[in-house]
Amino acid sequence: MSYGIEFVPGNITVKQVVNYCKLAEQKDIDFAWITNHYNNRHCYPTLAAIAEATDSIKMGPGIMNTFTDTPAAIASFMCTLNEISEGRAVLGIGPGDLSTLPKLAIEASKPVSRLREGVQQIAALCAGEEVKKTGNMEFFDYDGAKLTGVTLPAKKKQIPIYIGAQGPKMLTLAGEIGQGALINASNPKDFELAIPAIKAACDSVDEKKFKKFDVGAYTAMSIDKSEKKARNAAKIVAAFIAAGSPPALLDRHGLDQANVGKIKDALGRFDFGAVGGLVGDAEIDAFTIAGTPDMVQQKCEDLTASGVTQIIFGSPLGPDMTNSIRLLGKLI
């Protein structure tokens, strides 16, 4: 089992993110994943700053996409980050945020095909290949593209690519082309479906592949010595996840869809007081890991038993981020 931590450089500064990553490294956390949203501080310079300030923690965007960034630009950045960090770069990449892309006048068409092509070109460029036109690609049929002014990773130490996956098609794609997956889920029930899909896809490529595949649970984490404080801090995150979940997912967790409808309406009115009153234990337990250190440890053990191989401590972390990182460090 390995552990990661996620930071959103939106409500905290780059300097704060760097300091938190230094603390996470001291607490033996293995990965730092930095979210990528156009309206926040950019993950590229943030990751570069983390690389300069740390010694052992691996780091990468969590996650990029091939709508807002081209495969060539991503490959160039990842090789640069790998150089700065002396081989600690990892790439999280996915289909793109379908709630954000329309705001940027981007039509999110054929996300699976686009991602497949993008990952293929990124891997080729990072391996030092000259990518020639084939006529078989719809989106990124590069014509003589090659990275010439970067330090390439060693052949046996290529940058691991993690696919941000949720639905069946993306889970299959992750198993086929990724070395790992980042799955937005905090509950073992969600991995009962996800892991077999990934394994089947891995087996279709190589029967030995799944043994090395890193299944990452991108959790919504909230930890504090006070159970009440920890769970209150998780309410808004649970609300947003519940409001954006399809009916089948709500049914999987036995949630009251009428209540979730009320949560969605309250979020639409920005009535967070009402949201806090509507979100109960059912929503919190379905979509987050929230509670005391003992409660969090048990839930992490449940994820491990389900087949998860990397637990990523994601937002909000808790009512006090520094205290939360220290508490999480004691569990590792």
Side-chain angles (χ1 to χ4, degrees), residues 190-207:
D190 296 313
F191 292 93
E192 291 173 3
L193 298 175
I195 291 177
I198 292 172
K199 185 179 185 304
C202 284
D203 289 347
S204 70
V205 177
D206 183 341
E207 290 183 356

Side-chain angles (χ1 to χ4, degrees), residues 33 39 42 65 83 148 192 213-214 245 255 279 284 304:
W33 297 99
N39 53 312
H42 203 291
N65 69 79
E83 177 186 330
T148 58
E192 291 173 3
F213 194 92
D214 194 7
S245 296
L255 296 180
V279 175
I284 292 171
T304 303

Side-chain angles (χ1 to χ4, degrees), residues 76-301:
S76 175
F77 167 70
M78 292 307 301
C79 287
T80 306
L81 179 64
N82 202 56
E83 177 186 330
I84 298 169
S85 65
E86 298 181 328
R88 292 182 283 137
V90 290
L91 170 60
I93 188 168
D97 185 349
L98 299 184
S99 67
T100 299
L101 294 176
K103 297 177 182 179
L104 302 177
I106 296 173
E107 182 182 351
S109 62
K110 300 184 179 180
V112 178
S113 299
R114 189 183 186 96
L115 181 57
R116 181 187 293 276
E117 286 189 16
V119 169
Q120 180 179 330
Q121 301 297 51
I122 290 167
L125 289 167
C126 289
E129 297 177 19
E130 180 181 346
V131 182
K132 297 180 180 180
K133 193 174 184 67
T134 65
N136 298 322
M137 288 196 172
E138 182 178 359
F139 303 101
F140 306 111
D141 202 7
Y142 288 166
D143 190 5
K146 186 175 183 179
L147 299 182
T148 58
V150 301
T151 300
L152 296 168
K155 288 185 178 181
K156 293 185 178 181
K157 293 185 178 180
Q158 288 297 301
I159 297 167
I161 298 177
Y162 287 70
I163 307 297
Q166 204 76 37
K169 290 183 180 180
M170 283 297 171
L171 291 166
T172 297
L173 185 66
E176 289 175 348
I177 68 173
Q179 287 77 55
L182 300 176
I183 302 170
N184 278 325
S186 305
N187 194 299
K189 288 183 180 180
D190 296 313
F191 292 93
E192 291 173 3
L193 298 175
I195 291 177
I198 292 172
K199 185 179 185 304
C202 284
D203 289 347
S204 70
V205 177
D206 183 341
E207 290 183 356
K208 297 180 180 180
K209 182 178 181 182
F210 186 70
K211 292 180 179 179
K212 297 180 180 180
F213 194 92
D214 194 7
V215 179
Y218 220 106
T219 72
M221 174 69 63
S222 183
I223 186 171
D224 194 86
K225 289 183 178 179
S226 164
E227 179 181 347
K228 183 177 181 180
K229 288 181 179 180
R231 293 178 76 79
N232 280 342
K235 280 189 173 183
I236 294 299
V237 174
F240 275 106
I241 298 173
S245 296
L249 183 57
L250 299 176
D251 287 341
R252 185 188 305 164
H253 292 288
L255 296 180
D256 182 345
Q257 295 201 27
N259 188 58
V260 172
K262 293 177 183 178
I263 292 171
K264 191 172 183 178
D265 289 341
L267 288 171
R269 300 191 308 270
F270 299 99
D271 187 349
F272 295 112
V275 170
L278 290 165
V279 175
D281 288 337
E283 289 80 15
I284 292 171
D285 288 333
F287 298 124
T288 76
I289 295 176
T292 64
D294 286 343
M295 294 169 67
V296 167
Q297 184 171 26
Q298 180 59 57
K299 289 182 179 292
C300 287
E301 289 174 358

